[in-house]
Amino acid sequence: MANTSFMSNGPNLAQFETPFADSPGIREFVNPDKTAEEFFSDFFKDVDSPFSRTYESSVTSNSTAPASEEYVDLLAELQDGEFRETLYEMADELEDTWRNKVSDEITMGHNFMPFATQQAREYFAPVVRETESMIDRIAEHFSGNNLSDQSGESVEMFFETLEFNHGQYTPAQEQFFGKIFKKVQSVVKKGVDLAKKGVAAVGKLMPINIVLKKLKGLIKPLLDKVLKFAIGKLPNNLQPHARTLAKKFLKLEAEFENTNDTVQSEDLLEVIQTEFDNHITQLMFSRDDEEAENTIINYESSDETLERLNNYETGQANGQSLAAARQQFINELNNLQQGESPAPAIERFLPAAIMALQPVIKIAISLIGRQKVINFLAGLLAKLVGKYVDASVAQPLAAGIIDIGMSAIGFEVHETGKTNLAYEAIANTIEETIQSMTNLNENALNDTEELTMELLQAFEQAAANNFPPQYIKEELRKTKQKAVWVAMPRNLPVKFYKKFTHVYDISIDPQTALAVTTFRSLPLANFLKDKYGLDTSKPVKAKVHLYEITRGGRLSQINKFEKLPGLNAKQPKAWVQILPLTKQAASLLLKEPSLGKDITRKGLANRFKAEAGQRFYYLEIEGVRLRIPPVNRFKHKRGTNLQPATITESRSADIQGVINFIKSEIKINYYFSEEDAKEVVEKLNKKDFLGAALSIRQSVKNVLNDILVKNISTKVKIVHEAIPELYLEHYPDQQENFAPLQALGKVAGKEIISKLVEKLTENISAKAYEAISNFFKARAAEFKDAQAQPQDGVTVKLTWYKIPGMSAIRSVINAIRGNLTVGNLTDISLPSLSVPDIKVAADKQFN
């Protein structure tokens, strides 16, 4: 029977092993006299769609409160996939305002936050001033207007003619102004729409000019959250979609009251965005001034309340930051006398490391007794690392790290001949060990043998990452190289990432470039072609630099401290070149799969979700630099002599689906990258219609299948009064109280809704492929005209209006979420889709 009591010095480690060692195909002939329309008509007639399923339709009546429909419709309109990129860039620029002025953030202690806040105020001041002025100007225009007399065209014309010249904004400030401008426009359009439908349809609402003036009160709190994100002070247990705000309109009170979701740090930017959009929507539907003021107060205080709660739960209200605790621990190890145990120092360091654990584990530790667990773990860890603490051992260890990393890392001169690097390796190993113990629960914490085995397993992995390979048993080594992971940057006490001390020289052949996948499931070949303009039909030689994000770090911080060609502080948007080092990528590119770490599909959905422990790589390719199209994307700023106000890299193919159950409408926005669009147009101009058709078919097939169908939870926006989350990835994992689900064995409602949306998306994809094929048969000239514009890439926008059968699925979803009742689920069939409306536009235009 396992021992269930804690021993003061821990179990005898002699019975456990430690990780340390004591030592082209054939092309058909094409008639050159054939027109593009004639060729495409013949070609696509004989080419099968990559999708095989077809579905029948059915029509079912549906009735829902108008307020619910209007609320979610505005929420969906406000949601902008690029807004979090803007917030990310602002946080990045904001950090630059103080980074060069702070030599030692840890030494500043409590003075750092006031200093950073003052720098933030100076950075935000012109943005706040001009944004509020813009809102005032728009509010004044509509203050004397009868909105019911306004037309959608007149509103569009008003916003189109507005001009602003706010001086020298940074790129991120300009983007932020543009995004708020767009949200204000959406609010006004919704106000006009509601006025035309009659106030009685949704109840008494405030005049739109008052709503806009109230909206100004959300700008400063929003920017305050950006500041907290930039310095890592935004609490992790924010409610991701502010569900409680919507419950009065969506009739989902019971579910909202029982929802207690937390959000991981990699999702915080999306939390900021969705919370902001929810509060704007709440303002729009406020019945009076008091309710509107309460909404603003709620937004201002939301993260402060949660931050205090988070600090109380973790016991860190008066504790140190992880960086400060790590530095103190290193200093204490450096000052230990010969033969002195490191256990007390480890005990003082562990609380900061435990702070990074999942809430469920922290709760389990609290139940057992926080100090009791810390004492036990410290005793075990002291035995594991004790032999490396003595200066006679630590100094050679530090020298070994410098020796194998000097060329790749460039250690500071003052680090040579000292023991700090050895103690840093010990600190990193202990921190990583604790944060890798993800299987802990109350039972495991109560069982000394199970807890010991869990710690030893995590310690093996952590030691192999942070100690030079000669110190690790051969069978546990992660790499064949004489290399180790070292915390960076070296010239600052706060570390944001780790760098591997070996740089790989590789050649990427065309097959490997197609096989390795990156963000959004796109092949590496797309990245090389779109970001660099490389010919991926030929081998590409590159040096590969490896990185790992540490707690509180971001991808954008890597390029601030690296000094590589193309990856440095002077290269705009350099961080978008850093790609995920999955096991697949590590295996195919480096032939060392153990260096890779797999990331969830959700984590690979975009570049903003990098979290501690994830690994990435950068390809240094001689003579190649990231392509930045010189295009001004902001219509609100005009003038013949204005310079481009945006810095956005050339982008790869992408797609967005919008299933609007309220309007019985479906949209597919398909983005051709500039390189893809250029390739198609060049072949069209040469009358190489077969080549153009093959390029179109391959590109559309890959994007529809690999990006849309395989990433439905993140790529398909669902507009439905019972799904304020908008995306399935945000849908809470819980079982609804719905009778038909009980009969199905308590299947989660999310599973049924996911299946419905999945089947519908497959149907959409098949029809989208057919529609795009038909578009090129008849309207290839429009595509050529769009590609000729200075903007980057081309978007083909497909819209199906007033689709019969959508109401049946809408009723099922309402029933699952507890709003209505529904008959036999097996009677539901998917709607049929006719010919969509198709528009073409230069640049990437999603909505």
Side-chain angles (χ1 to χ4, degrees), residues 816-828:
I816 291 172
R817 299 308 292 267
N819 284 15
L820 303 170
T821 59
V822 72
N824 192 339
L825 290 175
T826 60
D827 293 336
I828 300 300

Side-chain angles (χ1 to χ4, degrees), residues 531 571-573 626-631 646-650:
K531 295 290 191 289
Q571 170 63 54
K573 302 284 287 192
L626 182 66
R627 299 180 357 168
I628 306 289
V631 177
T646 183
I647 296 178
T648 302
E649 78 287 356
S650 290

Side-chain angles (χ1 to χ4, degrees), residues 106-107 320-331 349 352 493-494:
I106 294 176
T107 302
Q320 295 173 297
S321 69
L322 182 58
R326 185 193 300 114
Q327 188 59 53
Q328 178 180 311
F329 177 55
I330 292 171
N331 293 339
F349 175 54
V494 178

Side-chain angles (χ1 to χ4, degrees), residues 140-402:
E140 182 179 356
H141 175 80
F142 289 101
S143 62
N145 290 330
N146 186 345
L147 289 185
S148 60
D149 295 334
Q150 294 280 332
S151 67
E153 291 76 14
S154 65
V155 172
E156 289 283 351
M157 185 175 297
F158 168 74
F159 279 93
E160 281 289 329
T161 56
L162 280 176
E163 297 183 12
F164 304 94
N165 191 353
H166 30 240
Q168 298 300 313
Y169 264 7
T170 67
Q173 289 173 331
E174 185 67 52
Q175 289 177 48
F176 179 82
F177 183 91
K179 295 298 183 183
I180 300 299
F181 179 83
K182 183 179 177 181
K183 290 180 186 293
V184 170
Q185 185 177 11
S186 296
V187 169
V188 172
K189 287 167 62 179
K190 175 55 68 176
V192 171
D193 187 40
L194 292 175
K196 286 184 175 299
K197 292 178 179 178
V199 175
V202 292
K204 185 178 179 181
L205 302 178
M206 295 192 304
I208 194 66
N209 61 307
I210 302 299
V211 172
L212 293 178
K213 287 185 178 295
K214 295 293 183 183
L215 194 154
K216 290 193 305 179
L218 301 179
I219 303 301
K220 288 181 180 178
L222 169 64
L223 294 175
D224 183 55
K225 294 172 194 290
V226 174
L227 166 63
K228 291 182 178 180
F229 170 80
I231 60 177
K233 295 294 185 182
L234 200 63
N236 289 352
N237 53 349
L238 289 172
Q239 287 292 331
H241 305 290
R243 295 185 180 99
T244 53
L245 289 176
K247 66 181 182 181
K248 69 167 65 177
F249 297 102
L250 306 184
K251 298 183 179 180
L252 298 168
E253 290 90 345
E255 177 187 327
F256 289 141
E257 289 169 4
N258 294 327
T259 297
N260 192 29
D261 292 344
T262 58
V263 62
Q264 298 304 308
S265 58
E266 73 272 18
D267 295 322
L268 284 176
L269 280 175
E270 194 164 356
V271 172
I272 294 175
Q273 174 184 229
T274 53
E275 187 187 32
F276 181 63
D277 289 345
N278 268 279
H279 280 83
I280 292 177
T281 307
Q282 177 73 358
L283 279 178
M284 182 72 208
F285 286 84
S286 294
R287 309 306 172 98
D288 51 44
D289 187 78
E290 181 180 0
E291 185 176 339
E293 284 298 319
N294 287 337
T295 297
I296 296 172
I297 293 171
N298 173 279
Y299 186 60
E300 289 174 334
S301 61
S302 60
D303 55 291
E304 282 84 356
T305 302
L306 286 167
E307 185 173 15
R308 288 193 294 272
L309 178 62
N310 190 56
N311 286 338
Y312 175 78
E313 290 177 346
T314 58
Q316 295 297 311
N318 298 311
Q320 295 173 297
S321 69
L322 182 58
R326 185 193 300 114
Q327 188 59 53
Q328 178 180 311
F329 177 55
I330 292 171
N331 293 339
E332 289 183 7
L333 292 182
N334 202 21
N335 294 327
L336 286 179
Q337 301 299 313
Q338 185 173 2
E340 188 177 356
S341 172
I346 295 175
E347 286 180 22
R348 287 186 285 271
F349 175 54
L350 285 182
I354 289 174
M355 180 177 63
L357 293 173
Q358 295 294 327
V360 64
I361 299 177
K362 289 187 286 190
I363 292 172
I365 290 174
S366 298
L367 291 174
I368 298 299
R370 194 159 166 267
Q371 193 57 47
K372 183 188 291 186
V373 174
I374 288 173
N375 292 344
F376 181 77
L377 295 177
L380 289 175
L381 290 166
K383 292 180 180 180
L384 290 168
V385 302
K387 63 184 291 185
Y388 299 99
V389 172
D390 189 270
S392 62
V393 179
Q395 193 158 343
L397 172 57
I401 295 173
I402 290 178

Side-chain angles (χ1 to χ4, degrees), residues 445-519:
L445 288 167
N446 255 324
D447 188 327
T448 58
E449 185 173 328
E450 185 176 349
L451 181 57
T452 300
M453 294 304 297
E454 175 76 16
L455 181 138
L456 283 174
Q457 184 177 355
F459 186 82
E460 281 184 354
Q461 303 293 322
N465 289 332
N466 294 287
F467 276 71
Q470 64 267 30
Y471 287 80
I472 303 298
K473 293 177 180 178
E474 187 172 358
E475 66 271 19
L476 297 177
R477 297 173 189 174
K478 303 290 187 181
T479 175
K480 302 172 186 176
Q481 310 301 327
K482 189 180 179 182
V484 68
W485 294 90
V486 174
M488 300 291 286
R490 299 309 309 161
N491 61 342
L492 291 177
V494 178
K495 311 301 181 187
F496 302 114
Y497 62 97
K498 293 179 181 178
K499 186 172 183 178
F500 197 57
T501 58
H502 179 78
V503 178
Y504 292 81
D505 284 296
I506 68 169
S507 179
I508 308 171
D509 59 63
Q511 294 75 27
T512 301
L514 287 170
V516 174
T517 55
T518 62
F519 291 108

Side-chain angles (χ1 to χ4, degrees), residues 533-551:
L534 292 173
D535 181 358
T536 55
S537 66
K538 301 175 182 178
V540 175
K541 293 184 177 181
K543 293 181 180 296
V544 187
H545 302 263
L546 307 185
Y547 303 95
E548 180 178 302
I549 293 294
T550 57
R551 182 167 174 79

